[in-house]
């Protein structure tokens, strides 16, 4: 009787073969998700206890046979769709490890089976059947959609042929170039080329030079090469500049009459000392009721740049100004960005403004948004404004000190509401007239910087709210938002585990406000410690990326529901989009096409990422160039990254980062522990982990790869675990002789 109750509802036991077919069918159907064995058992209708054990065994057997994958411990998933033919994006690597991405899953493609597809090409492939113990392989049978691309490298011109020795990590072969297609290029010139033909039977592609950038090693040539590498423009089209140069400021009495006039109100700009494009200004005056009226005035770029004009099309394509170490590549022609639109002192300027009435405690009593005209009284650098804040003396000291107090109250409330407080020092280089870095300094955000930041944030939030926040029952009009999604739970959990090794506790559960407060506490407590920069960087990496979109999900980092970019239209196209939408909706226009707006948002987000990548590449180049003269010198540093190929070390003195290759850790064979971010020696069990203090010697400085190599001298982060060689002695790693890089010889005749 007891057994009958126990087995009530238990169905017959399925044959293992039938159960396996059901499991495979279920996982194939739900191939985008991963499941644990309980979920799989329930999904295929298992009720018999013995079959539950069968499910576990079958899943393990399918993983062992490489028919399904175990994406993490105890969670199983089908491989991406692998019919005999499929479509995907080709990924070419200079190390020969080519692959095709099908539903985000890489499948190996041997070079002989690649049809010489280039990185990013959309291809049709034939996939081999999966065999036990072997990875599947794909063979390209058609290049469906070639990706337009160019390659950057150095020319080697011989008597009978020429070749471009590429810098690309996506192409191992040199590009053969007929002498008639060199555009005057000579040996040693940095050049851009495109591939025009790549025959199946040839090892090398053929191509033609698109542009000559200059001599290899010259600063401008190398900076332009970085821009070209990321598909970014490195010069401004002359025809666009000609059109821009004809534009007049047009500040007529008729135009002024359409706007609110702030020319008589105290107004000034605060910017970096080398800035020329002043796109924001602040005004302040006290009202009769004792409150303060603060105006955030932004250059009215869209008054001058009309939709679909030649200037607008160029700006839309660029989407952003690009800031390299030694130069700015502007989104708009200089006549507009540094001239007509720039809010220079003692000049009347047309602006788009957010005006706030604030009480002494920085509460916003009233606000309005509209077009204005201003006349700035003074241009301050951040350093000048900071001195006034610290001393209380100087031009417009009363106004600056009041703005500083209001900004500090705004900031305090933001952090109380759960905003994140990332405040990392930025590495900057002093550059000589030839573009060579001569010293390193750290750019820190002080009160003057934070004053401007707070009022820009306030304006951006107010503009987003004015469109996005509508009464119940009404639908918000299409708009451009700057959103920051919630962080991935797994990334936050991993970061919490790393932080705990240094004695810091980060909440991984609870409200966003609680999690962010624990992060802020860590960032405050870690100040001045060796692991500060590394933990701050890891905290940032655990966050989602901020993007532009029409779907408002709020801004996690700022802890606000509505946010946009309104305050920098000279250097960001989304701000121009926001200005136009504000003006259009103020006139009572209907909502614009959301799909079209979303496409523009995505393009702007993509271009922003490319610009950030180019900026980082220029910093890496200058770091390597700076350290070239310091080969053999010894520095203290901290392990800032751990990978299977080695340890990344950030130097304490100048924040330059280099690699200690795992091949140079000669005292033992090291395994990469991905979960714990460390390398562990098999024989002596020495461990190198994130945050360890180390002493390194500068071994190599490779400008072509933009990479520094360090040799490990001692591990001061683990004083009880000295380095040992195979004989138990404490070695001193010394840099290898720097070999002259030989250009790769072409494997095909021209």
């Amino acid at each position: 009787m007891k057994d009958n109750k126990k087995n009530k509802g238990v169905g017959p036991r399925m044959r293992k073969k039938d159960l396996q077919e059901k499991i495979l069918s279920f996982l194939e159907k739900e191939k985008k998700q991963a499941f644990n064995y309980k979920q799989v058992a329930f999904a295929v209708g298992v009720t018999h206890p013995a079959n539950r054990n069968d499910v576990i065994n079958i899943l393990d057997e399918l993983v062992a046979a490489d028919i399904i994958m175990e994406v993490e411990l105890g969670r199983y998933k089908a491989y991406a769709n692998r019919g005999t033919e499929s479509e995907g994006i080709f990924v070419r690597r200079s190390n020969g490890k080519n692959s095709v991405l099908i539903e985000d899953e890489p499948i190996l493609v041997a070079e002989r089976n690649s049809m010489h597809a280039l990185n990013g090409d959309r291809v049709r492939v034939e996939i081999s059947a999966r065999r036990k113990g072997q990875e599947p392989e794909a063979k390209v049978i058609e290049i469906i959609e070639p990706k337009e691309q160019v390659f950057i490298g150095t020319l080697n011109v011989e008597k009978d042929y020429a070749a471009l020795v590429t810098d690309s990590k996506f192409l191992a072969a040199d590009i053969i170039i007929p002498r008639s297609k060199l555009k005057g290029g000579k040996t040693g010139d940095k050049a851009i080329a495109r591939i025009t033909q790549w025959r199946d039977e040839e090892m090398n592609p053929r191509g033609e030079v698109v542009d000559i950038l200059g001599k290899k090693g010259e600063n401008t040539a190398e900076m332009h090469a970085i821009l070209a590498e990321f598909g970014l423009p490195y010069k401004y089209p002359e025809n666009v500049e000609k059109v821009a140069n004809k534009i007049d400021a047009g500040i007529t009495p008729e135009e002024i009459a359409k706007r609110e006039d702030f020319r008589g109100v105290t107004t000034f700009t605060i910017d970096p000392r080398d800035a020329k494009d002043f796109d924001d200004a602040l005004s302040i005056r006290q009202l009769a009721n004792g409150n303060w009226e603060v105006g955030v005035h932004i250059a009215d770029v869209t008054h001058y740049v009309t939709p679909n004009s030649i200037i607008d099309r160029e700006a839309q394509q660029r989407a952003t100004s690009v800031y390299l170490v030694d130069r700015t590549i502007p989104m708009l022609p200089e006549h507009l960005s540094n001239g007509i639109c720039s809010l220079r002192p003692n000049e009347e300027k047309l602006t788009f403004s957010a005006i706030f009435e604030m009480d002494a405690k920085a509460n916003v009593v009233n606000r309005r948004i509209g077009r204005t005209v201003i006349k700035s009284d003074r241009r301050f650098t951040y350093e000048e404004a900071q001195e006034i804040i610290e001393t209380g003396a100087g031009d417009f000291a009363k106004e600056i000190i009041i703005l500083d107090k209001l900004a500090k109250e705004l900031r305090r409330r933001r952090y109380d509401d759960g905003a994140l407080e990332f405040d990392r020092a930025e590495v900057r280089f002093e550059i000589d007239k030839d573009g060579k870095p001569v010293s390193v300094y750290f750019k820190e955000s002080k009160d003057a910087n934070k004053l401007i930041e707070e009022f820009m944030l306030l304006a951006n939030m107010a503009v987003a709210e004015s469109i996005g926040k509508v009464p119940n029952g009404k639908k918000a009009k299409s708009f451009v938002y700057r959103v920051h999604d919630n962080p991935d739970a797994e990334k936050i959990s991993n970061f919490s585990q790393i932080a705990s090794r240094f004695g810091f506790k980060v909440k991984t559960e609870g409200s966003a406000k609680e999690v962010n407060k624990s992060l802020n506490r860590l960032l405050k407590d870690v100040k001045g410690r060796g692991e500060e920069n590394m933990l701050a960087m890891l905290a940032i990496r655990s966050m989602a990326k901020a993007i532009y979109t029409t779907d408002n999900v709020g801004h996690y980092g700022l802890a606000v529901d509505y946010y946009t970019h309104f305050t920098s239209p000279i250097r960001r196209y989304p701000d121009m989009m926001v200005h136009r939408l504000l003006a259009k909706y103020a006139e009572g226009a209907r909502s614009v096409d959301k799909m079209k707006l979303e496409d523009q948002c995505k393009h702007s987000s993509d271009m922003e990422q490319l610009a950030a990548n180019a900026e980082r590449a220029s910093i890496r180049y200058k770091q390597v160039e700076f350290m070239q003269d310091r080969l053999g010198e010894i520095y203290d540093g901290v392990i800032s990254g751990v990978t299977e190929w080695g340890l990344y070390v950030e130097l304490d003195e100048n924040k330059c980062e280099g690699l200690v290759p795992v091949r140079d850790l000669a005292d033992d064979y090291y395994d990469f522990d991905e979960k714990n971010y460390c390398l562990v020696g098999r024989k002596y069990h020495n461990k190198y982990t994130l945050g360890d203090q180390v002493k390194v010697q500068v071994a190599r400085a490779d400008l072509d790869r933009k990479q520094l190599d360090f040799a490990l001298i001692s591990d001061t982060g683990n004083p009880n675990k000295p380095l040992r060689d195979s004989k138990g002695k404490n070695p001193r790693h010394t840099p290898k002789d720097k070999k002259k890089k030989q250009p790769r010889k072409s494997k095909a005749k021209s």
Side-chain angles (χ1 to χ4, degrees), residues 46 61 152 170 183 199 202 207 246 320 322 328 341 356 368 442 484 531 536 575 588 647 663 676 684 719 728 741:
V46 164
E61 288 167 7
I152 297 89
F170 301 122
K183 277 204 162 183
R199 293 172 182 161
E202 292 184 334
K246 294 177 182 177
T320 180
V322 183
T328 298
C341 295
F356 303 93
R368 62 190 186 276
F442 304 109
H484 185 219
E531 60 270 22
D575 301 55
L647 306 168
R663 66 176 181 271
N676 294 300
Y684 298 110
K741 186 177 178 183

Side-chain angles (χ1 to χ4, degrees), residues 628-644:
Q628 261 189 333
D629 298 333
R630 291 157 178 81
L631 290 176
E633 293 185 12
I634 295 173
Y635 293 87
D636 291 319
V638 62
I639 295 177
S640 55
V642 183
T643 69
E644 60 187 318

Side-chain angles (χ1 to χ4, degrees), residues 400-645:
I400 286 177
I401 288 167
I402 290 165
L403 286 169
D404 180 56
K405 286 179 180 177
L406 293 172
K408 283 173 176 166
E409 183 58 27
L410 288 171
R411 187 160 63 253
R412 183 193 65 77
R413 283 210 298 267
R414 275 202 306 111
Y415 294 144
D416 283 349
D417 290 340
L420 282 170
E421 189 176 359
F422 288 117
D423 191 16
R424 295 180 67 240
E426 296 179 41
V427 179
R428 290 288 184 267
F429 292 94
E430 291 285 355
I431 306 289
D432 68 14
K433 60 182 177 60
D434 297 318
K436 189 175 175 62
V438 292
S439 66
V440 177
Y441 67 95
F442 304 109
K443 179 185 170 187
E444 293 186 71
S445 184
K446 296 188 176 181
D447 287 341
N449 306 77
K450 292 172 182 176
L451 183 163
I452 293 297
E453 179 186 20
E454 287 306 319
F455 284 105
M456 297 306 115
L457 290 173
L458 185 66
N460 287 334
M461 289 185 279
V463 166
E465 269 193 14
S466 72
I467 303 298
K469 195 173 184 178
V470 295
N472 289 336
K474 289 204 170 186
K475 188 178 179 182
K477 293 179 177 179
S478 299
F479 199 59
V480 174
Y481 296 97
R482 179 69 168 179
V483 306
H484 185 219
D485 210 346
N486 292 351
D488 180 86
E490 187 178 354
K491 286 184 179 179
I492 281 286
S493 178
N494 289 343
F495 174 69
S496 176
Q497 290 174 25
I498 294 167
S500 68
R501 296 183 199 134
F502 299 96
F504 300 107
K505 188 175 181 180
V506 175
K507 285 182 71 71
T508 58
E509 295 179 347
S511 68
K513 185 174 180 179
E514 291 170 333
V515 172
N516 285 3
K517 281 196 171 183
S518 74
L519 279 169
N520 286 342
R521 193 159 46 247
L522 176 150
L523 294 168
K524 184 178 180 181
D525 293 345
V526 79
K527 279 280 185 189
R529 293 178 54 163
E531 60 270 22
E532 175 187 353
N533 218 40
M534 182 266 295
L535 283 178
M537 177 58 73
L538 286 176
I540 291 170
R541 287 176 184 170
S542 71
M543 297 288 118
K545 280 188 170 66
I547 61 168
Y548 299 106
T549 180
T550 56
D551 294 319
N552 183 35
V553 297
H555 198 293
Y556 178 85
L558 295 173
V560 294
D561 294 328
Y562 302 92
Y563 192 67
T564 191
H565 274 170
F566 161 78
T567 52
S568 295
I570 286 177
R571 61 186 179 90
R572 295 187 304 223
Y573 195 78
D575 301 55
M576 288 176 60
M577 292 160 64
V578 165
H579 282 216
R580 285 177 180 150
L581 291 169
L582 283 172
K584 186 184 285 282
Y585 293 154
E587 294 170 357
R590 296 172 62 183
S591 183
V592 301
D593 185 323
K594 187 174 181 178
M595 293 285 285
K596 186 177 179 182
L597 202 61
E598 183 63 31
D599 287 343
Q600 292 176 330
C601 285
K602 186 179 185 312
H603 174 72
S604 293
S605 296
D606 291 344
M607 294 302 291
E608 176 188 41
Q609 186 60 55
L610 282 178
N613 292 343
E615 180 183 358
R616 283 193 289 270
S618 77
I619 292 170
R620 283 198 305 273
Y621 186 90
K622 290 301 173 188
Q623 285 180 336
V624 176
E625 191 176 18
F626 180 69
M627 297 301 291
Q628 261 189 333
D629 298 333
R630 291 157 178 81
L631 290 176
E633 293 185 12
I634 295 173
Y635 293 87
D636 291 319
V638 62
I639 295 177
S640 55
V642 183
T643 69
E644 60 187 318
W645 55 85

Side-chain angles (χ1 to χ4, degrees), residues 129-179:
R130 175 180 288 278
R131 287 178 288 178
K132 188 172 181 177
Q134 292 186 350
E135 286 294 313
E137 285 196 30
K139 178 181 181 181
V140 177
I141 55 177
E142 182 186 359
I143 298 173
I144 302 168
E145 189 180 326
K147 182 185 176 185
E148 280 290 322
Q149 56 192 298
V150 293
F151 296 90
I152 297 89
T154 307
L155 285 173
N156 179 24
V157 182
E158 302 288 350
K159 182 180 179 182
D160 298 322
Y161 75 96
L164 184 84
V165 182
T166 66
D167 300 339
S168 175
K169 60 185 177 183
F170 301 122
L171 187 67
D174 298 343
I175 301 172
I176 304 302
I177 299 173
R179 293 177 65 91

